[in-house]
């Protein structure tokens, strides 16, 4: 499938998802991305008890950072409040916006650029002209690094080398796919064959020689790339110099980032790239006290986390916040 054909398919799929989500745009609903296979798998069964204490938290794919971090959040919240979290693996950002909109999720992890697109009804076809009015922010968490990974013997060392290749741009409807196509378009890569799968499957495709490169968006180290690097010699393609400036000029939400040397086995030099921000989002209809309690539990117990703790703090929790805060989050951060 050519890139143009896949983009049209993406628009159709995500547009349908957006239309479904808009049905809940005016408010709450019932109780209540990184991409990967949308398996909607529950990490655990929700605890028994009052339904008002059970909250739905939508994460991302199991091969990224959203899912394990969300399960650490689950432990913190359940250890420090009366709430229980039902964490689900999803296709991440765009899908999670739809889940918040229709009320099937109470909280979700999404990218700050996708949040902006959704809230303002712009950027991608799923939201174009259809702003998601009930989307609210809670806090930003950490940089979500754009990682372009290939095998060391692929002869791909720059973005330009991706021309004519088979590229996994991430799950259909994920923030990863949106970012990958933004980057490729910005640097003039128009001829390529696009594949769409989550991080874990993309790693398998690379190992099997089914694709030439994959885009992964998530906080380093990404588990799926770590696993791939233990059995294969991998290479991280830099986004640097003129290419980096071009991409940032085309999309202002990208920021400079660097993947440190040694992050992945066999990658011994730091790699320049770009990043968006991971953030916690919720919906306007969720009780302010609930949002304040959950937010307080997370940010007052960061020392109980093991993932991305160097970035998560009250001091940086509004850096890159791209949408209006929920009143419950405002109550916590202003106290």
């Amino acid at each position: 499938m050519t890139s143009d054909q896949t983009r049209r398919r993406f628009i159709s799929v995500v547009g349908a998802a957006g239309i479904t989500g808009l049905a809940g745009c005016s408010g709450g609903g019932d109780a209540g991305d990184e991409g990967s296979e949308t398996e909607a798998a529950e990490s655990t069964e929700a605890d028994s008890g009052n339904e008002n204490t059970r909250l739905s938290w939508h994460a991302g794919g199991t091969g990224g950072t959203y899912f394990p971090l969300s399960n650490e959040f689950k432990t913190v919240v359940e250890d420090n409040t009366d709430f229980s979290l039902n964490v689900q693996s999803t296709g991440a950002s765009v899908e999670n916006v739809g889940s918040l909109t229709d009320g099937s999720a109470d909280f979700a992890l999404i990218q700050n650029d996708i949040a902006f697109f959704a809230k303002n009804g712009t950027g991608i076809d799923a939201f174009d002209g259809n702003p998601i009015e009930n989307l609210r922010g809670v806090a930003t968490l950490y940089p979500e690094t754009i990682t372009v990974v290939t095998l060391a013997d692929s002869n791909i060392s720059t973005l330009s080398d991706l021309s004519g290749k088979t590229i996994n741009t991430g799950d259909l409807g994920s923030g990863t796919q949106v970012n990958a196509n933004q980057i490729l378009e910005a640097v003039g890569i128009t001829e390529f064959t696009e594949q769409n799968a989550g991080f874990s499957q993309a790693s398998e495709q690379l190992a099997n020689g089914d694709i030439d490169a994959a885009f992964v968006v998530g906080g380093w180290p990404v588990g799926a790339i770590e696993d791939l690097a233990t059995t294969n010699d991998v290479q991280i393609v830099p986004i640097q110099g003129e290419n980096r400036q071009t991409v940032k000029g085309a999309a202002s939400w990208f920021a400079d980032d660097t993947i440190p040397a040694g992050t992945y086995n066999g990658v011994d030099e730091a790699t320049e790239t770009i990043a968006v921000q991971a953030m916690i989002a919720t919906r306007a209809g969720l009780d302010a006290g609930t949002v304040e309690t959950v937010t307080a539990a997370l940010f007052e117990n960061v020392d109980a986390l093991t993932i991305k703790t160097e970035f998560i703090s009250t001091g940086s929790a509004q850096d890159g916040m791209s949408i209006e805060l929920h009143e419950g989050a405002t109550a916590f951060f202003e106290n």
Side-chain angles (χ1 to χ4, degrees):
M1 180 179 293
T2 66
S3 60
D4 286 342
Q5 289 172 320
T6 306
R7 284 196 188 93
R8 287 194 293 271
R9 179 169 165 241
F10 167 61
I11 289 168
S12 174
V13 172
V14 179
I19 291 169
T20 299
L22 289 170
C25 196
S26 60
D30 298 329
D33 119 183
E34 259 211 14
S36 178
E37 312 86 79
T38 305
E39 51 196 31
E42 297 180 3
S43 62
T44 61
E45 292 296 325
D47 296 338
S48 59
N50 190 323
E51 278 197 23
N52 291 329
T53 68
R54 295 200 298 267
L55 301 171
S56 177
W57 186 293
H58 286 199
T62 56
T65 305
Y66 281 9
F67 189 73
L69 178 60
S70 293
N71 277 290
E72 290 200 353
F73 286 163
K74 170 184 170 67
T75 299
V76 168
V77 169
E78 293 180 351
D79 285 349
N80 292 279
T81 75
D82 292 330
F83 293 105
S84 62
L85 295 189
N86 176 25
V87 175
Q88 292 188 343
S89 172
T90 72
S93 293
V94 177
E95 180 180 330
N96 288 353
V97 168
S99 298
L100 289 170
T101 304
D102 67 18
S104 59
D106 296 302
F107 295 92
L109 296 186
I110 61 178
Q111 294 174 196
N112 64 338
D113 58 326
I114 300 301
F116 178 88
F117 294 154
K119 183 66 175 175
N120 291 279
T122 188
I124 58 176
D125 292 81
F127 309 124
D128 191 19
N130 296 298
I132 308 300
E133 301 288 354
N134 74 335
L135 186 64
R136 295 291 186 272
V138 175
T140 56
L141 297 171
Y142 61 86
E144 287 209 83
T145 305
I146 312 293
T147 304
V148 185
V149 61
T150 185
L151 298 185
D153 61 0
S154 68
N155 294 319
I156 298 173
S157 58
T158 69
L159 290 180
S160 298
D161 295 329
L162 293 173
S163 183
K165 304 299 185 183
T166 300
I167 308 168
N168 190 316
T169 60
D171 261 337
L172 281 170
S174 68
T176 299
Q177 190 197 24
V178 173
N179 292 152
N181 281 303
Q182 289 167 341
I183 292 165
L184 292 168
E185 182 176 351
V187 299
I189 304 296
T190 59
E191 296 297 327
F192 62 94
T193 301
E194 184 172 8
Q195 295 288 319
N196 298 106
F199 301 161
S200 297
Q201 187 174 343
S203 293
E204 294 176 4
Q205 289 175 323
L206 280 168
N208 295 334
D210 296 328
I211 61 173
D212 299 301
F215 279 78
V216 176
V217 180
W220 49 259
V222 175
I225 302 178
E226 283 187 304
D227 292 343
L228 178 67
T230 63
T231 55
N232 295 266
D233 293 330
V234 303
Q235 177 172 316
I236 308 300
V237 181
I239 303 176
Q240 61 186 3
E242 184 177 344
N243 277 338
R244 182 152 74 174
Q245 295 308 312
T246 298
V247 171
K248 288 168 58 183
S252 60
W253 45 84
F254 288 125
D256 291 350
D257 199 7
T258 300
I259 302 170
T263 299
Y264 300 110
N265 183 50
V267 182
D268 298 325
E269 295 183 0
T271 307
E272 292 185 352
T273 186
I274 54 177
V276 292
Q277 280 273 84
M279 60 175 280
I280 303 171
T282 186
R283 54 186 176 82
L286 191 59
D287 177 71
T290 296
V291 175
E292 182 177 5
T293 298
V294 170
T295 305
L298 296 178
F299 282 89
E300 291 174 355
N301 295 281
V302 173
D303 57 352
L305 303 174
T306 66
I307 299 172
K308 295 298 172 186
T309 54
E310 68 270 39
F311 298 107
I312 301 173
S313 71
T314 55
S316 62
Q318 300 310 311
D319 292 352
M321 176 54 68
S322 56
I323 60 173
E324 175 187 353
L325 280 187
H326 190 285
E327 59 183 326
T330 299
F332 171 73
F333 287 111
E334 288 187 351
N335 285 341

